[in-house]
Amino acid sequence: MNTILFINMNLQLFADAGTMVTGTASYVNAYTGDTTAFDGTNTMNGELKTFYDTELLENARVEMFYAQFAKKQTLPARHGKTVEWRKWNTFDKAGKLQEGVIPTGQKFGMSYKTGSINQYGTYASVTDQLELHAYDDVILGATEEMGASAAETQETLIRDALLVNTNVMYCDNITLATGAIASTPTSCATMEASATVMSMLTPDSVAKAVTIMKKNRVPTINGKYYAVIHPSVAYDLRKSEAWIEAHKYAATSQIFNGEIGELHGCRFIENVFAPILGGTDYKNKAETVTYATYFFGKEAFGIIDPEGGALEMIVKDKNQAGGPLNQFSTIGYKFETNGATILYPERLLRVMSCSSFSATDEVN
């Protein structure tokens, strides 16, 4: 006689327990709801943490151009998220005194600008299989790319904040065959970008921008003004015989990150994230892109340096954040910033132009 054996089996034991919910502080049991805290002891050792921190900061610093000219304002911990930049009001020149007559006095006061910080960050996951079998140092590679991402984020935030400044100059429309001025635009829509006439940043445009800043009594930075310029615009400008390459004065002057040369008392910083603009407000007459080159003097804008909120590299190895089976590590960064706060509008001049690449470059 055959005996039939019945076994009660819970097939749910073999079900997929689901993925970890990123951002939680513990693992969650898919069946009972019980939580288990992440392993806080099997973390990456201090030397590796320091190494990856350094890699992130160095790679970010290489790609940062605007921030090196900002006035830094510290924000102590537990002091809120907003800071003030204060400046004394200036006085008018004195008038001629009349004997025995008390003149009308001037008021002494202070004005201020405020800025508030927000937090930014991102991360990526690296599986244990990739770490184990890849030829290259995966964590190091991801750290380098995170550094580039952090710099691009900061550069874009500063660039966009400066774009709102209303101190603007439009480059002349130049007849390319003769170099003569065809007309002077008053808006992006009247800037030419054809095969025969182009609104270009020329040496004369640079001289005009520098003159405007001098007339506005903008203080220099170590005796020079500075401009952040897109490579497409720099391509046209560097054809000038008056252009002085940076290496020709590097031995006697401080060289800033990205510095490529000097013209008419203004030194230029080449930055691929300098604004390429389009859309209704910024397209030129040919309906292609335009470019913004920022000219500025000392302390034209400020950025907040929050205590405890500076750029931070965060690497969690698979023993710490890799789920129940240690299946992945995470690499990321975060930082706090106000982007930028314009402190002196007259110290920042946005010079609009087209270039030889207006028809092919894309808005950034």
Side-chain angles (χ1 to χ4, degrees), residues 117-130:
I117 56 173
N118 291 294
Q119 191 174 63
Y120 299 84
T122 189
Y123 77 98
S125 300
V126 175
T127 68
D128 59 339
Q129 292 287 293
L130 183 58

Side-chain angles (χ1 to χ4, degrees), residues 39-204:
D39 188 341
T41 57
N42 295 317
T43 58
M44 191 168 32
N45 67 57
E47 289 184 2
L48 269 178
K49 176 68 165 63
T50 301
F51 172 75
Y52 287 128
D53 277 344
T54 302
E55 284 294 319
L56 177 85
L57 292 173
E58 287 183 352
N59 279 280
R61 194 174 294 115
V62 167
E63 298 291 335
M64 294 176 72
F65 305 99
Y66 292 113
Q68 61 189 333
F69 297 105
K71 178 178 174 60
K72 305 292 196 308
Q73 177 65 47
T74 58
L75 176 60
R78 297 179 296 278
H79 280 68
K81 301 177 69 175
T82 302
V83 302
E84 289 184 352
W85 285 270
R86 298 186 180 95
K87 61 179 181 178
W88 299 114
N89 294 341
T90 58
F91 293 122
D92 294 332
K93 291 181 289 186
K96 182 179 179 180
L97 294 177
Q98 297 183 28
E99 183 178 353
V101 177
I102 299 175
T104 302
Q106 298 186 44
K107 291 183 179 180
F108 183 47
M110 175 187 290
S111 60
Y112 62 90
K113 293 288 185 73
T114 61
S116 299
I117 56 173
N118 291 294
Q119 191 174 63
Y120 299 84
T122 189
Y123 77 98
S125 300
V126 175
T127 68
D128 59 339
Q129 292 287 293
L130 183 58
E131 279 191 73
L132 181 63
H133 299 296
Y135 286 106
D136 301 315
D137 186 336
V138 177
I139 301 296
L140 177 59
T143 301
E144 292 174 348
E145 293 303 320
M146 284 291 173
S149 171
E152 181 176 350
T153 303
Q154 177 76 298
E155 288 292 283
T156 302
L157 290 170
I158 295 175
R159 176 199 73 186
D160 292 349
L162 299 183
L163 189 62
V164 303
N165 197 46
T166 56
N167 197 16
V168 184
M169 184 187 104
Y170 297 93
C171 289
D172 293 325
N173 290 322
I174 304 296
T175 302
L176 299 180
T178 63
I181 298 175
S183 61
T184 299
T186 56
S187 66
C188 289
T190 56
M191 294 166 61
E192 297 277 2
S194 69
T196 57
V197 182
M198 179 82 67
S199 173
M200 297 177 64
L201 183 64
T202 62
D204 185 63

Side-chain angles (χ1 to χ4, degrees), residues 10 25 36 59 82 90 103 120-121 146 160 173 179 193 207 215 241 243 261-262 281 296 300 316 320 322 324 333 343:
N10 183 3
T36 304
N59 279 280
T82 302
T90 58
Y120 299 84
M146 284 291 173
D160 292 349
N173 290 322
K215 290 166 68 174
E241 294 181 357
W243 177 265
E262 179 181 337
D281 295 330
F296 50 86
K316 296 183 181 294
Q320 186 180 12
Y333 67 85
L343 304 180

